[in-house]
């Protein structure tokens, strides 16, 4: 059997290795338009490779896979994060689960994952063909017994142009992990400030994300913002990346609870300045910025603050509104939502319904995840399922 895999990313290379292991006699060719395989894996997690996630505390599949949750729920029963970790550890890659449930190689080196896969491809006899962009899908399908498309996300519509002759339904691609540009110079002066637990919401929607937030020289970043950008990817794209974000700087504390906390500060520290008594989760720079936003001078004393001003400050702390004035970039893990619509494939095998022998895996499908190792897990899982499906024929 002759098998072509188009795209030497995580899904393609993992599929190739598992194909050859399950069917050693197969002739497996991997086509890659770039100069090296697994280029994106090499830079994932800042070059450390956020390999997968422990899924501990994941409330629902929709919370980590905004697109493709139903497919991934089914797929992970076939090849889960436990299977992924076991697979790589059996190849000598030691893994560690961090406090945030992200899984990394103990070496903290993404190249360990890259070299493990390329070594296996070479030893198993997978032929890797670099600098070769497939432009005619029908010719490839005629030449090979099975074809697997693993070209990854397509930021531009032209990325899927080679599939147009098949008439498959596609979903327009838009960025799915990005930071927020906030045009407020006073905020930019707080660059480097991290709040470990915030709740962020796109105003006027139910889209909400929790976690650490980082203030940058252009606006907002950090896991909470990246996750929110994933949930709101299509809505934000439709609105030209102009929207309001509501931030609860105190995490899950509501306005009423915060008023009580502020009253406590006033009663216990009446003669102290506002700048010197504040929630432990904030640093003094951010606290003073929020005070001024609430119309309060940091030099004022707690005993001089009335109930109206206290309520105003509580509102700012728990529902601060900032205007998003554009999309920033997140170069380490550029992810798109969109691609080949899931209705085109059999969810159990990932084989195209209209084209027997043609399979899809990875981000080329309309499946994407929030940051934290979930996107790579989707690639490993889908690559494995396709290998299993082909060798079960």
């Amino acid at each position: 059997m002759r098998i072509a895999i188009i795209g030497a990313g995580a899904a393609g290379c993992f599929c190739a290795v598992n194909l050859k292991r399950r069917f050693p006699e197969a002739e497996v060719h991997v086509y890659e338009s770039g100069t090296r395989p697994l280029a994106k894996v090499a830079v994932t997690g800042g070059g450390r490779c956020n390999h997968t996630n422990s899924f501990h505390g994941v409330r629902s599949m929709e919370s980590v896979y905004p697109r493709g949750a139903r497919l991934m729920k089914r797929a992970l029963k076939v090849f889960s994060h436990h299977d992924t970790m076991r697979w790589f550890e059996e190849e000598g890659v030691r893994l560690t689960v961090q406090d945030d449930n992200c899984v990394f190689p103990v070496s903290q080196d993404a190249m360990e994952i890259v070299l493990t896969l390329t070594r296996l491809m070479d030893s198993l006899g997978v032929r890797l063909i670099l600098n070769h962009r497939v432009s005619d899908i029908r010719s490839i399908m005629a030449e090979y017994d099975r074809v697997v498309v693993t070209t990854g996300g397509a930021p531009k519509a032209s990325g899927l142009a080679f599939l147009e002759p098949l008439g498959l339904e596609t979903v327009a691609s838009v960025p799915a992990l990005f930071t927020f540009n906030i045009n407020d110079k006073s905020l930019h002066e707080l660059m480097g400030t991290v709040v470990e637990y915030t709740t962020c919401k796109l105003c006027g929607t139910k889209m909400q994300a929790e976690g650490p937030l980082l203030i940058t020289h252009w606006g907002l970043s950090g896991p909470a913002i990246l996750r929110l950008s994933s949930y709101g990817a299509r809505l934000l794209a439709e609105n030209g990346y102009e929207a309001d974000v509501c931030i609860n700087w105190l995490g899950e504390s509501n306005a009423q609870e915060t008023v009580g906390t502020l009253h406590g500060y006033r009663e216990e520290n009446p003669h102290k300045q506002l700048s010197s008594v504040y929630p432990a989760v904030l640093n003094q720079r951010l606290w003073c910025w929020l005070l001024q936003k609430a119309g309060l001078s940091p030099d004022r004393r707690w005993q001089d603050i009335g109930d109206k001003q206290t309520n105003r400050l509580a509102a700012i702390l728990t529902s601060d509104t900032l205007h998003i004035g554009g999309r920033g970039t997140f170069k380490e893990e550029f992810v798109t939502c969109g691609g080949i619509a899931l209705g085109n494939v059999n969810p159990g095998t990932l084989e195209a319904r209209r084209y027997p022998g043609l399979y899809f895996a990875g981000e080329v499908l309309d499946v994407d995840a929030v940051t934290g190792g979930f996107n790579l897990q989707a690639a490993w899982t889908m690559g494995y399922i396709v290998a299993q499906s082909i060798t079960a024929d």
Side-chain angles (χ1 to χ4, degrees), residues 38-349:
L38 299 158
K40 190 172 177 180
V41 173
V43 297
T44 297
R48 297 186 300 128
C49 192
N50 192 173
H51 185 60
T52 183
N53 192 283
S54 73
F55 282 74
H56 180 71
V58 172
R59 298 188 303 273
S60 68
M61 206 57 66
E62 289 79 8
S63 69
V64 291
Y65 291 102
R67 271 73 50 180
R70 183 178 298 179
L71 183 146
M72 287 306 303
K73 185 175 182 179
R74 176 173 181 165
L76 286 166
K77 291 178 181 178
V78 178
F79 194 81
S80 70
H81 61 286
H82 295 299
D83 297 317
T84 294
M85 293 175 70
R86 187 181 307 113
W87 195 98
F88 279 92
E89 285 174 336
E90 287 176 353
E91 294 303 325
V93 179
R94 292 190 301 139
L95 300 172
T96 181
V97 182
Q98 297 187 162
D99 291 341
D100 60 1
N101 300 312
C102 294
V103 180
F104 286 85
V106 170
S107 65
Q108 300 289 294
D109 185 1
M111 288 308 297
E112 185 176 7
I113 302 296
V114 172
L115 293 174
T116 295
L117 289 171
T118 53
R119 171 180 56 80
L120 287 169
M121 290 169 66
D122 185 59
S123 65
L124 289 168
V126 174
R127 184 183 174 195
L128 180 61
I129 306 165
L130 300 174
N131 296 303
H132 187 111
R133 183 178 297 278
V134 172
S135 58
D136 188 345
I137 187 64
R138 287 196 179 276
S139 293
I140 290 286
M141 290 170 66
E143 183 181 349
Y144 289 88
D145 300 298
R146 302 287 185 273
V147 175
V148 186
V149 179
T150 57
T151 48
K156 297 179 181 179
S158 58
L160 296 177
F162 75 105
L163 295 172
E164 286 180 0
L166 301 181
L168 299 172
E169 180 187 354
T170 61
V171 180
S173 294
V174 297
L177 282 179
F178 48 88
T179 60
F180 294 165
N181 289 339
I182 308 293
N183 298 319
D184 184 335
K185 291 184 179 180
S186 67
L187 177 71
H188 300 170
E189 292 173 359
L190 302 175
M191 63 175 290
T193 295
V194 175
V195 182
E196 289 298 335
Y197 187 75
T198 64
T199 300
C200 303
K201 182 177 181 180
L202 287 179
C203 299
T205 77
K206 294 183 179 180
M207 297 175 189
Q208 178 176 300
E210 302 82 31
L213 181 149
L214 167 67
I215 299 175
T216 69
H217 66 276
W218 65 86
L220 301 175
S221 185
I225 295 300
L226 293 171
R227 183 168 290 214
L228 186 60
S229 76
S230 181
Y231 295 155
R234 293 209 172 279
L235 177 65
L236 289 166
E238 290 168 3
N239 288 283
Y241 301 100
E242 293 275 345
D244 289 332
V245 58
C246 300
I247 302 172
N248 186 335
W249 297 99
L250 303 182
E252 296 179 346
S253 179
N254 61 36
Q256 185 176 354
E257 293 168 339
T258 302
V259 166
T261 299
L262 297 176
H263 280 160
Y265 292 162
R266 185 173 62 187
E267 293 171 5
E268 296 171 14
N269 308 276
H271 303 298
K272 290 187 177 181
Q273 293 182 333
L274 298 181
S275 62
S276 64
V277 180
Y278 50 90
V281 295
L282 307 178
N283 66 24
Q284 190 179 50
R285 286 197 305 155
L286 176 57
W287 169 247
C288 288
W289 183 78
L290 291 167
L291 284 173
Q292 292 172 333
K293 196 167 186 180
L296 296 169
S297 169
D299 296 332
R300 292 187 65 179
R301 301 190 184 279
W302 275 101
Q303 65 182 4
D304 300 327
I305 305 304
D307 289 345
K308 185 175 181 180
Q309 294 166 315
T310 300
N311 292 338
R312 169 64 177 162
L313 179 56
I316 292 291
L317 289 167
T318 59
S319 187
D320 188 17
T321 300
L322 294 169
H323 184 70
I324 302 169
R327 173 177 63 86
T329 59
F330 184 48
K331 295 179 181 178
E332 289 180 354
E333 296 181 62
F334 186 75
V335 173
T336 60
C337 69
I340 300 299
L342 298 183
N344 292 293
V345 300
N346 181 317
T349 63

Side-chain angles (χ1 to χ4, degrees), residues 8-20:
C13 291
F14 198 65
C15 181
V17 171
N18 283 286
L19 272 170
K20 286 292 285 184

